[in-house]
Amino acid sequence: MNRLKLLGTTTLALLTGLTPAVAQVAALGEPEGQVNIVAWPGYIERGESDKAFDWVTKFEETSGCKVNVKTANTSDEMVALMNEGGFDLVTASGDASLRLVAGDRVQPINTDLIPSWKNVDERMQNAPWHTVDGVHYGVPYMWGPNVLLYNTDVFKEAPKSWSVVFEEQTLPDGKSNKGRVQAYDGPIHIADAAQYLMAHKPELGITNPYELNEDQYKAALNLLRGQRELVSRYWHDAMIQIDDVKNEGVVASGSWPFQVNLLKSEGQPVDSTIPEEGATGWADTTMMHVDAKNPTCAYLWMEHTLSSNLQSDLAVWFGANPSVPAACTDGSGMSTKESCTANGMDDFDKIRFWTTPVSNCSQGEGACVPYYRWVSDYIGVIGGR
């Protein structure tokens, strides 16, 4: 199927016209000895970053499955790796998951083989970014907001608006923000610009930052072209952003709780906030490659990811929210009801989760700009066009 044609149509409509899908795996066999996973940085820890956070070692010992991880820094990178093949699983965000389904890169999941499925947050069990026609193409893993990271020496109070990274201004320390802020190196960042415009240019009529008509899209690109004059680096590697905050004078940027938590653990003067315009966010799903070579180990890992202890510790480590609500309160790990509330557990309905833009949208048939244009145009923005 032509990729550009696919991305320019309503993905769900395409999928519902296909033959109903069924899970390829009916029963588990002998563990194959390994499982190969594409994952976001910080998602699969074996104690190497911090000895207190290790949910791999015991799994390997009890299952006999060695966990091999390839980290990816953007959803587009994840899709590319899954298209290449050679991996069993991927922790896909909503702007990748339906592309993987529509591209026949992932297979339906047999939830009967995942006993802990019953413990998954009801808000996520049938979420549209991994469920098509009632068929589940993955297991919810973790979710959270894209936060505004800021330097507490520069900002004595949390910034109230995303304007500190979108518009040139003098910051509270009396210096310009030019050259001191960063932006995400991924086309989905266009949605952050669109969300900012929802609040500051209501006359554009934007109601969904992932559904933009030509005029709305043009306005978002123009805002990003202005932002380009401010940013010191477009980041996609979490560890490089951490280094830039410590050593290169970055004082504000869109970020993930992961970077914020690591920087704070090192005593760096940083914190994060969700400004008044709100936030985009990610809800990540563990999905299984259609040609997975290690299906039993893959299923064993997916069951393991829903263990309350893993979910609890991962939520603290990443500053995110578990897909198993009991992980917040059952004392199995480091999370508490208070820590989950602080991470936004109660704000699920307020976050605009990443999703792949398509042309047929709520504004009408062919009314919205599809994702392939987001890709090419954002490259142009970064390149100064």
Side-chain angles (χ1 to χ4, degrees):
M1 184 177 293
N2 182 277
R3 175 55 103 197
L4 299 189
K5 181 179 179 182
L6 172 63
L7 293 177
T9 57
T10 301
T11 306
L12 289 179
L14 257 178
L15 292 170
T16 54
L18 300 177
T19 302
V22 295
Q24 295 177 204
V25 180
L28 300 186
E30 285 295 317
E32 300 86 0
Q34 65 176 344
V35 59
N36 302 306
I37 310 173
V38 179
W40 291 104
Y43 256 18
I44 301 179
E45 292 291 312
R46 60 167 69 248
E48 294 171 337
S49 301
D50 186 319
K51 292 181 180 179
F53 297 94
D54 180 358
W55 41 87
V56 172
T57 302
K58 288 184 178 179
F59 170 80
E60 290 181 331
E61 293 172 351
T62 58
S63 69
C65 303
K66 177 176 172 54
V67 177
N68 304 310
V69 180
K70 168 71 173 178
T71 58
N73 295 301
T74 68
S75 289
D76 289 347
E77 186 178 348
M78 286 187 170
V79 172
L81 288 169
M82 290 295 279
N83 283 338
E84 291 174 11
F87 299 97
D88 301 300
L89 298 170
V90 62
T91 59
S93 295
D95 60 330
S97 52
L98 286 182
R99 279 190 279 163
L100 293 171
V101 175
D104 294 325
R105 291 296 86 202
V106 292
Q107 60 179 275
I109 297 301
N110 186 347
T111 58
D112 291 339
L113 300 179
I114 303 175
S116 296
W117 177 265
K118 63 182 182 297
N119 301 326
V120 172
D121 193 328
E122 292 182 357
R123 299 175 298 182
M124 305 188 74
Q125 282 188 346
N126 299 302
W129 51 83
H130 68 81
T131 309
V132 178
D133 274 358
V135 177
H136 300 291
Y137 285 85
V139 174
Y141 191 53
M142 192 66 42
W143 63 273
N146 294 312
V147 298
L148 175 59
L149 176 154
Y150 64 94
N151 184 299
T152 55
D153 287 340
V154 174
F155 298 91
K156 301 305 182 183
E157 297 181 357
K160 292 182 171 58
S161 171
W162 286 99
S163 66
V164 296
V165 296
F166 278 121
E167 299 185 22
E168 186 172 0
Q169 60 190 262
T170 300
L171 300 181
D173 63 356
K175 302 176 183 177
S176 172
N177 61 343
K178 192 170 186 178
R180 305 170 72 198
V181 301
Q182 290 188 340
Y184 185 55
D185 182 13
I188 205 67
H189 182 52
I190 295 174
D192 294 305
Q195 177 163 271
Y196 180 76
L197 292 174
M198 287 174 67
H200 294 274
K201 289 194 174 182
E203 65 273 15
L204 289 169
I206 300 173
T207 58
N208 183 329
Y210 307 102
E211 297 186 355
L212 305 177
N213 63 34
E214 291 291 347
D215 290 339
Q216 296 164 345
Y217 182 70
K218 180 180 178 181
L221 289 182
N222 284 338
L223 178 64
L224 293 172
R225 290 186 181 104
Q227 184 187 50
R228 182 184 180 277
E229 302 302 315
L230 307 178
V231 299
S232 59
R233 188 201 300 271
Y234 288 90
W235 75 273
H236 61 261
D237 186 312
M239 304 312 294
I240 290 179
Q241 184 182 57
I242 287 172
D243 185 70
D244 287 345
V245 171
K246 291 193 293 186
N247 302 310
E248 300 299 330
V250 172
V251 300
S253 177
S255 189
W256 299 327
F258 174 65
Q259 290 97 296
V260 178
N261 286 351
L262 275 181
L263 285 163
K264 291 173 75 171
S265 73
E266 296 178 8
Q268 294 296 316
V270 302
D271 208 339
S272 65
T273 186
I274 296 178
E276 58 191 8
E277 298 92 354
T280 59
W282 33 269
D284 295 342
T285 306
T286 304
M287 309 183 85
M288 186 171 172
H289 198 283
V290 67
D291 297 320
K293 303 299 183 185
N294 305 291
T296 294
C297 282
Y299 267 88
L300 292 175
W301 175 258
M302 287 188 287
E303 166 64 18
H304 175 64
T305 65
L306 296 181
S307 64
S308 184
N309 174 260
L310 184 157
Q311 288 276 316
S312 181
D313 289 353
L314 174 58
V316 169
W317 170 250
F318 210 84
N321 299 288
S323 63
V324 176
C328 293
T329 57
D330 65 8
S332 63
M334 301 179 190
S335 286
T336 63
K337 186 177 186 301
E338 292 73 23
S339 69
C340 285
T341 297
N343 288 347
M345 191 71 177
D346 302 326
D347 296 330
F348 185 88
D349 294 330
K350 299 178 183 178
I351 298 173
R352 295 182 174 94
F353 290 104
W354 282 352
T355 189
T356 301
V358 293
S359 60
N360 297 342
C361 63
S362 62
Q363 297 192 48
E365 187 87 7
C368 290
V369 178
Y371 187 69
Y372 77 87
R373 284 185 53 195
W374 287 45
V375 173
S376 59
D377 290 337
Y378 195 63
I379 292 172
V381 167
I382 293 176
R385 300 193 302 277

